[in-house]
Amino acid sequence: MTDTKIVVDCTTGETQVVTLTAEEIAQREADAQAFAAAEAERLAAEEAKAQAKASAEAKLAALGLTADEIAALNK
C-alpha cells in the first residue's frame, strides 16, 4: 500500500491524492513515536497519581477516618 495524502485547493474545491515523499513518511513515523512516548508518560503519571491517592486514603482510614470523612476531604 502506497502512503498518500489528500491535497485540497480551497479556492477551486479540487482535490488530489498525492504520494508522500520519503521525508514526509519519516516525519510521520517520528511524530507517531513521539506521540507514543508522550502518551506512555501521561498514562504513567496518571497511574502514579491514582496510586498516591489510594495510598493517602488508606493512610487516612488507618488513622480512623470514615469513608464519608475521607470523601469530604476530596471535595
Side-chain angles (χ1 to χ4, degrees):
M1 180 177 177
T2 303
D3 294 320
T4 60
K5 64 181 176 181
I6 297 174
V7 178
V8 179
D9 183 339
C10 293
T11 58
T12 64
E14 181 181 330
T15 61
Q16 295 178 336
V17 176
V18 179
T19 302
L20 294 177
T21 65
E23 183 178 282
E24 290 171 325
I25 293 169
Q27 182 63 52
R28 183 178 64 181
E29 290 171 358
D31 291 345
Q33 289 175 355
F35 173 78
E39 184 68 5
E41 190 174 307
R42 183 190 68 79
L43 291 173
E46 188 176 291
E47 178 64 25
K49 183 177 177 180
Q51 287 178 356
K53 182 178 179 183
S55 174
E57 289 175 350
K59 289 174 184 175
L60 290 171
L63 290 173
L65 275 71
T66 66
D68 289 338
E69 291 170 330
I70 295 171
L73 290 173
N74 290 331
K75 292 183 180 180

